[in-house]
Amino acid sequence: KYNAIIFDLDGVICHTDQYHYEAWKAVADELGIYFDEAINNRLRGVSRMESFEIILERYEKEMSEADKEHWLTKKNEIYKALLKNMSPADLSLEVKETLDGLRESGHKLAIGSSSKNARFILGQLGLGEYFDAISDGNNISKSKPDPEVFVKAAEYIEEAQKHCLVVEDAEAGLKAAIAGGMDCAAIGDAVGCGLGTYNLATFSDLLKVVEN
Ligand code: B16
Ligand code: MG
């Protein structure tokens, strides 16, 4: 049924929540805005600017677009410095073995991530050359729940959307897959929202999903 699997990156292939948290916390502290892990969870799968808008809900004053850009650049500099701590040791054996298994069974494998740092993160994990295509925050004009990032991924690997399965950890990502006419497998927090065609208890469950 599926010729290709399109993976979200953060929260599916790897976990960068803590680094996003530390970088946003540094920015929020400088601005005197309250920020905690619960607010950080709302930023999952959301673009950088939209993430900042959520943080600014607790900011009393108005902020100019130029100032917003300044803080976004600052957040990304802190975040990228933290990403340098990532290495192939951060890629779990389960994820690597499952990806290899899916490839051996003839599936094309692509990335569909909102992040502009997707290629950098994949390089840190030792997956720089691994995927057949990467669609990320650099090639889209609308972020999830818009389907653009996944539609582009399907285009890059030359597969019809109905033959692609998306794997996502965020509700916005599941909505994006559905809007793009694709089935989706929910993992982690996304399981709770009930939008997944399948719910994965663990990453390797994907092997069972594609067998059927
Ligand atoms: P960046 P995904 C998303 O990645 C993250 O989940 C989200 O928290 C982040 O704000 C977004 O990428 C943009 O990331 O600032 O690196 O461009 O889950 O779509 O792989
Ligand atoms: Mg994600």
Side-chain angles (χ1 to χ4, degrees):
K1 186 172 180 194
Y2 305 115
N3 297 334
I5 323 288
I6 305 174
F7 299 90
D8 173 55
L9 181 60
D10 288 336
V12 173
I13 302 288
C14 62
H15 298 276
T16 52
D17 286 23
Q18 189 57 29
Y19 296 139
H20 278 298
Y21 173 76
E22 284 178 37
W24 282 127
K25 177 84 177 121
V27 165
D29 282 354
E30 264 202 67
L31 284 164
I33 304 172
Y34 177 77
F35 183 68
D36 63 16
E37 302 267 359
I39 301 168
N40 194 56
N41 285 339
R42 288 176 58 203
L43 313 183
R44 199 167 286 146
V46 171
S47 76
R48 202 179 302 166
M49 181 59 105
E50 286 163 334
S51 297
F52 194 41
E53 297 290 359
I54 290 172
I55 290 166
L56 287 178
E57 285 171 9
R58 287 179 170 70
Y59 191 59
E60 310 284 301
K61 296 171 249 172
E62 282 300 306
M63 188 180 287
S64 69
E65 291 306 308
D67 281 352
K68 284 181 189 170
E69 286 302 332
H70 162 83
W71 291 107
L72 289 184
T73 302
K74 178 140 196 182
K75 184 267 174 177
N76 199 48
E77 279 166 5
I78 300 168
Y79 178 59
K80 279 199 81 169
L82 293 167
L83 289 179
K84 291 195 177 127
N85 297 319
M86 286 185 103
S87 74
D90 289 299
L91 179 65
S92 81
L93 192 60
E94 181 188 3
V95 168
K96 185 63 170 66
E97 288 183 349
T98 304
L99 291 172
D100 288 344
L102 292 167
R103 173 151 285 163
E104 273 163 33
S105 55
H107 296 87
K108 291 181 196 167
L109 307 179
I111 292 288
S113 166
S114 305
S115 175
K116 292 187 173 167
N117 296 300
R119 282 172 199 273
F120 184 75
I121 294 168
L122 289 167
Q124 293 296 100
L125 294 172
L127 292 176
E129 306 294 322
Y130 190 86
F131 290 91
D132 298 303
I134 297 168
S135 173
D136 65 20
N138 298 297
N139 61 255
I140 53 171
S141 55
K142 292 183 223 124
S143 54
K144 303 167 187 176
D146 189 280
E148 186 178 10
V149 72
F150 295 134
V151 170
K152 287 264 170 65
E155 263 172 45
Y156 294 160
I157 51 176
E158 299 178 330
E159 276 299 335
Q161 281 140 250
K162 63 179 178 186
H163 293 308
C164 296
L165 175 70
V166 167
V167 188
E168 259 290 350
D169 74 312
E171 185 173 352
L174 296 177
K175 286 183 175 161
I178 294 163
M182 300 178 210
D183 282 359
C184 49
I187 192 164
D189 271 14
V191 168
C193 71
L195 292 175
T197 318
Y198 313 97
N199 288 319
L200 307 178
T202 183
F203 194 84
S204 58
D205 282 353
L206 264 180
L207 295 168
K208 293 184 226 158
V209 166
V210 301
E211 255 175 33
N212 297 320

